[in-house]
């Protein structure tokens, strides 16, 4: 105890005389200047020193149980959270969800993670695809195309890039109107991925069907949140001034088999929330 009192007096005395405090340094360059132990020639005094400056180390549970009210006088206070398995991420601790350094921001009344953000690269998470197994005769616009719906779940604190590609054969016997495919994101049209065509005139060769392949590739960027997100993408038939059209294929065999089959793929990339 006596030794600690002497050290405290030395620090106070140094502060009064120099208005700056140095540890292991005789000529401090700031309010508090901490140096490794060095010899007079500037070389390190030994190679077994433990370097570093440590803030108070506590668990989130300990911070949760702490009854002290932080305010403007504590703005910028620094702590190191060693464990987040206990306590709650609410109120001042809303952003304390992982181990690390946090500083108190009085303007938001929150502990904020103190990190140097290094952008992480996208990593492939999953690939989903589907090939149509039957033709679908459509008489009403915005009818769901069977099999072309997928719910994608994005984990908490992850950004996502969703790449959607589809190829859809569409044909009709009617010589008028418009047809195409509407890409949906939840209950709303994802316009960048929708495609619509003017129905072409029949050639003079006596063909009974006019057919096109409707296709698109589009990406959707999702910003991560503290909770997981589930987003459903789907395809709908689009008809305008047209009473019927056939989607996904003509048939599995026989005439017009070369229409091909409707197909789509959804590629999901994830990275840490930026």
């Amino acid at each position: 105890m006596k030794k600690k009192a002497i050290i405290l007096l030395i620090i106070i005395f140094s502060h009064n005389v120099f208005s700056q405090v140095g540890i292991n340094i005789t000529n401090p360059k700031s309010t508090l200047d901490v140096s490794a132990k060095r010899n007079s020639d500037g070389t390190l005094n030994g190679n077994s020193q433990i370097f570093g400056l440590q803030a108070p180390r506590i668990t989130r549970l300990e911070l949760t149980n702490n009854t002290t009210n932080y305010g403007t006088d504590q703005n910028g206070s620094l702590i190191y959270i060693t464990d987040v398995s206990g306590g709650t991420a609410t109120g001042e601790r809303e952003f304390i969800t992982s181990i690390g350094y946090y500083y108190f921001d009085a303007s938001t009344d929150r502990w904020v993670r103190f990190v140097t953000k290094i952008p992480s690269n996208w990593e492939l998470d999953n690939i989903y695809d589907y090939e149509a197994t039957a033709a679908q005769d459509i008489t009403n616009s915005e009818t769901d195309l069977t099999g072309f719906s997928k719910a994608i779940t994005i984990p908490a604190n992850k950004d996502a890039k969703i790449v959607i590609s589809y190829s859809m054969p569409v044909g009709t016997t009617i010589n008028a109107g418009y047809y195409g495919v509407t890409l949906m994101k939840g209950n709303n049209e994802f316009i960048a991925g929708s495609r619509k065509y003017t129905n072409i005139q029949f050639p003079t060769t006596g063909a009974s069907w006019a057919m096109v392949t409707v296709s698109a590739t589009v990406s959707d960027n999702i910003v991560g949140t503290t909770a997981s997100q589930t987003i459903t993408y789907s395809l709908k038939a689009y008809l305008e001034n047209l009473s019927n059209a056939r989607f996904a294929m003509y048939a599995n065999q026989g005439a017009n088999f070369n229409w091909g089959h409707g197909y789509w793929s959804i590629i999901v990339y994830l990275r840490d929330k930026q």
Side-chain angles (χ1 to χ4, degrees):
M1 184 66 186
K2 182 177 181 181
K3 182 178 180 181
K4 291 180 180 179
I6 293 173
I7 293 174
L8 180 61
L9 288 173
I10 292 173
I11 292 175
I12 293 173
F13 177 77
S14 299
H15 175 73
N16 289 336
V17 174
F18 301 107
S19 296
Q20 294 173 327
V21 176
I23 297 177
N24 294 329
I25 187 170
T26 57
N27 186 23
K29 301 299 190 296
S30 61
T31 305
L32 177 62
D33 192 346
V34 181
S35 172
K37 294 180 180 178
R38 295 186 177 276
N39 299 315
S40 58
D41 61 359
T43 59
L44 286 175
N45 182 3
N47 295 317
S48 60
Q49 299 183 52
I50 299 176
F51 304 117
L53 184 65
Q54 290 184 329
R57 291 166 291 174
I58 58 175
T59 67
R60 188 174 65 183
L61 176 60
E62 290 170 331
L63 185 60
T64 299
N65 293 335
N66 185 38
T67 59
T68 299
N69 292 320
Y70 284 77
T72 54
D73 289 341
Q74 289 74 43
N75 194 34
S77 295
L78 186 66
I79 59 174
Y80 185 84
I81 296 295
T82 59
D83 179 85
V84 292
S85 61
T88 59
T90 58
E92 293 179 352
R93 303 172 303 281
E94 178 183 359
F95 304 133
I96 300 182
T97 57
S98 60
I99 294 171
Y101 280 101
Y102 291 81
Y103 67 90
F104 186 74
D105 181 5
S107 65
T108 61
D109 194 31
R110 292 292 187 272
W111 288 99
V112 180
R113 182 77 185 271
F114 185 77
V115 295
T116 300
K117 204 73 170 180
I118 301 175
S120 56
N121 295 324
W122 293 107
E123 294 184 358
L124 177 64
D125 177 67
N126 216 328
I127 300 176
Y128 307 93
D129 64 352
Y130 173 76
E131 180 181 349
T133 58
Q136 189 172 355
D137 290 323
I138 304 295
T139 57
N140 295 306
S141 190
E142 303 308 313
T143 298
D144 292 329
L145 292 175
T146 303
F148 293 92
S149 179
K150 184 63 183 178
I152 306 297
T153 297
I154 303 165
N157 299 309
K158 291 287 186 180
D159 293 335
K161 181 181 288 291
I162 316 294
V163 181
I164 303 167
S165 298
Y166 66 84
S167 176
M168 183 67 62
V170 185
T172 183
T173 59
I174 299 175
N175 213 353
Y178 307 88
Y179 48 35
V181 172
T182 301
L183 175 61
M184 301 294 293
K185 177 182 178 181
N187 295 320
N188 300 310
E189 180 180 3
F190 190 43
I191 297 175
S194 296
R195 298 290 185 269
K196 301 172 177 70
Y197 290 84
T198 301
N199 188 10
I200 61 174
Q201 298 294 311
F202 290 120
T204 59
T205 58
S208 59
W209 287 85
M211 175 267 176
V212 297
T213 297
V214 181
S215 61
T217 298
V218 66
S219 66
D220 189 17
N221 294 313
I222 310 298
V223 177
T225 63
T226 55
S228 63
Q229 305 175 74
T230 298
I231 301 172
T232 299
Y233 297 93
S234 61
L235 299 182
K236 291 179 178 290
Y238 175 81
L239 301 180
E240 183 180 342
N241 299 325
L242 194 63
S243 59
N244 68 75
R246 180 167 292 181
F247 284 73
M249 67 177 72
Y250 180 81
N252 270 315
Q253 58 185 356
N256 295 324
F257 175 66
N258 59 357
W259 278 22
H261 291 181
Y263 172 85
W264 79 341
S265 67
I266 301 178
I267 305 175
V268 181
Y269 299 91
L270 297 177
R271 70 181 181 186
D272 291 338
K273 177 177 166 52
Q274 303 297 291

